[in-house]
Amino acid sequence: MKKFMKWMPISMMILGSMFMFAACSDDNEPTTPEEPGTETPGAKVSIQLGYESIEVEAAGGSAEVTYTLKNAGTNPKISGTSDQDWITDIQAADGKVTMSVAANTETADRTAKVTLTYSDDEKNAASAELTVTQGAKAEEKFTITIPGESGSTWIPFEIQPKDQSAQYFLNIRPAEEMEGFVSDEALFNSDMSTYQQLADQYGMSLNDVLIATNALVSGPMEDYLFTKLSPSTEYCIYCYGVENGKLVAPVSKVNAATTAAAPVDNQITIDVTNKIASSVAFTVKVTTFDAYALAIFDGSASDAEIESALMGEDVSIYAGNQQLSLNTALEVGKEYAIAAIGRAGNTATTGLVVERFTVERGQVITDLTMDLTSLAFDGDKLAEHLGEPSIAGYPILFNNIETNGIYTATYPFAKGELSELKAMFDSMYPGESEETFYMFIFSQVADYCSYNKQSLWMMNEQGSYEVLCMATDEAQENYKFGISAIDVVESNYSPVEEIDKYLPSSSSKVLLKNAGKFSMSEYASKMKEYMDKKSAYSLKVSLEGISKIKSMKK
């Protein structure tokens, strides 16, 4: 079975050209043209270059050098030629000579001679030579190959790193977009912009964010695909080495194009595995990795209306088999439809598949219970004990929830932070219940919560924390909240064997939002927005608000 990479484009685009102005090189030797007005009438015409030699980078692009004419005649003209075909489009006008320089794909420097020839109406002649030296391409640390034919929405690729232990960042962009980056550093900065924003927001280093979000890979990648691409489009697949949040190896890249949109033999089947209102879950099985549009609809919608919506704007696109749960509750007793259709750009590539179902009420537990345990560990020792090297170097907060509820959610706060938020809430909404406050908090940190009953948290620093926890029944009609206080400090670290009493065979590792980074003014605004829109205290939202599908099941 092929593996596929989800392309999450980073849309920051740097406009510009890969220009290398050789006059900036310290190694270039300038000549000294005569002062204007010192020409001797009737004397020999000459071309004097600002530099006799220039250097350009391996990436190529455009280069230029200045010139002056001595004793020029009427209607002077300058043409240019090169003894190497990697220099083209030589133009001379208004005191500047410009030329296009192709990229050097070899691992050795190369040199060319550019000859400028002068002529005028008096049949004077002159010439000058410019030496152009281009640096060698840096040795690539990764070999990217396209092992087979592409589809209209996917491209196969393989990567073989020279150093099997090297960590690298992998991405794909339209080839046209890649032309806007003037250097490897510019591409690196663009790719890292989103991760740097996370680092700034959470008070973490860029390297810590890259590790915590699994943005770096290592080792060879064989039989992989980039999916959900646009048809009839040339793309550039690229990667580069990253170490300690720094670019440490040049960009390796290869171009490949998707084919035109056309019907595909992708057999799509949908199976609703859970019809409980609070946790509708379904699986999608496919026979190819061609892209398809997927959405949930009101059951009263006709097949024609559903197909039109799936081929419209702002619809989620998937590829490969999926196991999904809705992140919102649906209405008990109401009919809905989950539908999919193969799609390449604006072209339907398969027939419409629709699965209709009626939502059921889940189990109601009126006497919810919740017992909380929080422990602190030395990350290095726990990493060795669990065989999880990614958590080394961090203080670790472990949280365990024992409950008769079905679902849980967990998020840690710096000590005192919750009480500060609660005081602000009470001042704005006196008399509102504590449950409403906690529901608001979870609505704001939902993307960063752990929804497992056991969770590991990689803390940015030692300190005192309060772990806010929630348990709910299957019907999501009853909730229970609790707070566990814990000092994540060396003097309070537990023996690593203590975790074996609670931890199953696997656990979640969650990126911690750095405590103490909340803006009270920002939360006041969000609090008002939440209170203005809320109806009851559930997580229910309208179908129109369903934009993401994610699992909340253990």
Side-chain angles (χ1 to χ4, degrees), residues 166-379:
Q167 289 187 313
Y168 57 96
F169 182 86
L170 171 66
N171 200 12
I172 184 171
R173 292 177 184 259
E176 183 178 6
E177 182 180 312
M178 291 290 288
E179 296 175 0
F181 295 104
V182 299
S183 65
D184 286 359
E185 287 74 17
L187 179 61
F188 171 78
N189 290 335
S190 177
D191 285 339
M192 296 298 110
S193 60
T194 297
Y195 300 99
Q196 187 61 58
Q197 289 174 15
L198 287 172
D200 294 341
Q201 182 178 356
Y202 303 153
M204 301 175 70
S205 70
L206 174 61
N207 189 66
D208 287 345
V209 171
L210 291 173
I211 292 174
T213 56
N214 296 315
L216 302 179
V217 295
S218 61
M221 301 185 71
E222 299 176 350
D223 202 26
Y224 272 77
L225 299 170
F226 271 111
T227 62
K228 301 190 294 182
L229 306 178
S230 298
S232 301
T233 303
E234 185 176 11
Y235 285 92
C236 178
I237 298 172
Y238 64 92
C239 67
Y240 47 76
V242 178
E243 186 176 320
N244 296 323
K246 304 293 184 181
L247 176 67
V248 295
V251 176
S252 299
K253 61 184 74 171
V254 66
N255 282 16
T258 53
T259 61
V264 296
D265 185 22
N266 189 11
Q267 305 299 314
I268 304 174
T269 58
I270 301 173
D271 180 27
V272 181
T273 56
N274 189 352
K275 300 177 182 179
I276 302 302
S278 62
S279 56
V280 170
F282 56 97
T283 61
V284 182
K285 293 185 178 180
V286 296
T287 55
T288 73
F289 279 103
D290 294 286
Y292 56 91
L294 175 70
I296 184 170
F297 299 88
D298 190 291
S300 62
S302 67
D303 284 4
E305 291 171 329
I306 290 175
E307 182 170 347
S308 176
L310 287 175
M311 294 303 299
E313 301 294 329
D314 299 324
V315 64
S316 296
I317 303 296
Y318 293 82
N321 296 331
Q322 304 289 331
Q323 290 184 325
L324 303 168
S325 296
L326 298 185
N327 69 336
T328 184
L330 301 183
E331 184 178 340
V332 175
K334 185 176 178 62
E335 185 184 58
Y336 295 90
I338 297 175
I341 190 171
R343 180 171 172 174
N346 294 322
T347 301
T349 59
T350 71
L352 177 69
V353 177
V354 181
E355 183 67 22
R356 298 178 184 273
F357 65 100
T358 300
V359 173
E360 302 171 357
R361 186 187 188 195
Q363 179 184 7
V364 178
I365 302 176
T366 57
D367 55 344
L368 281 170
T369 62
M370 188 164 62
D371 181 31
L372 307 178
T373 301
S374 294
L375 301 172
F377 293 97
D378 179 288

Side-chain angles (χ1 to χ4, degrees), residues 437-508:
F437 167 69
Y438 289 138
M439 290 304 298
F440 162 72
I441 293 298
F442 275 113
S443 74
Q444 299 304 305
V445 298
D447 287 342
Y448 309 103
C449 284
S450 166
Y451 294 102
N452 290 3
K453 293 181 179 179
Q454 295 85 23
S455 56
L456 291 173
W457 297 82
M458 300 184 295
M459 312 303 285
N460 298 323
E461 56 188 5
Q462 296 188 36
S464 297
Y465 295 90
E466 293 177 320
V467 185
L468 177 62
C469 302
M470 176 182 72
T472 178
D473 60 15
E474 192 174 46
Q476 286 196 6
E477 295 181 8
N478 296 292
Y479 298 86
K480 190 173 185 65
F481 300 91
I483 297 176
S484 175
I486 176 71
D487 290 328
V488 184
V489 294
E490 188 172 355
S491 60
N492 196 39
Y493 286 165
S494 296
V496 291
E497 294 78 14
E498 188 73 13
I499 203 170
D500 296 335
K501 300 177 182 177
Y502 307 96
L503 201 62
S505 57
S506 63
S507 63
S508 65

Side-chain angles (χ1 to χ4, degrees), residues 43-159:
K44 185 178 179 180
V45 177
S46 65
I47 306 171
Q48 295 187 336
L49 297 173
Y51 291 85
E52 294 179 349
S53 64
I54 60 174
E55 295 181 358
V56 295
E57 290 185 348
S62 178
E64 70 175 40
V65 64
T66 59
Y67 72 90
T68 57
L69 296 177
K70 181 180 179 182
N71 300 316
T74 306
N75 195 22
K77 299 181 179 65
I78 298 178
S79 59
T81 59
S82 173
D83 64 349
Q84 301 293 327
D85 60 6
W86 48 272
I87 295 182
T88 58
D89 193 27
I90 303 170
Q91 304 289 334
D94 301 325
K96 285 185 179 181
V97 179
T98 61
M99 64 201 75
S100 295
V101 182
N104 187 358
T105 59
E106 304 299 326
T107 55
D109 294 350
R110 59 184 181 180
T111 302
K113 291 288 186 183
V114 173
T115 302
L116 302 176
T117 303
Y118 170 92
S119 64
D120 59 27
D121 290 351
E122 287 79 29
K123 297 184 179 181
N124 293 311
S127 65
E129 282 192 348
L130 172 70
T131 301
V132 180
T133 301
Q134 186 176 33
K137 176 185 178 182
E139 181 184 4
E140 291 193 356
K141 304 297 184 183
F142 308 92
T143 301
I144 309 175
T145 56
I146 307 298
E149 296 183 355
S150 301
S152 62
T153 62
W154 51 268
I155 295 175
F157 71 94
E158 294 183 350
I159 298 179

Side-chain angles (χ1 to χ4, degrees), residues 2-56:
K2 286 183 178 292
K3 288 82 68 175
F4 65 96
M5 301 293 294
K6 180 179 180 183
W7 178 32
M8 303 184 69
I10 299 176
S11 61
M12 296 295 293
M13 184 173 180
I14 302 176
L15 299 178
S17 301
M18 299 180 65
F19 294 159
M20 176 61 189
F21 296 98
C24 295
S25 172
D26 292 336
D27 296 330
N28 299 332
E29 295 296 330
T31 62
T32 306
E34 292 188 16
E35 294 291 332
T38 62
E39 299 88 347
T40 303
K44 185 178 179 180
V45 177
S46 65
I47 306 171
Q48 295 187 336
L49 297 173
Y51 291 85
E52 294 179 349
S53 64
I54 60 174
E55 295 181 358
V56 295

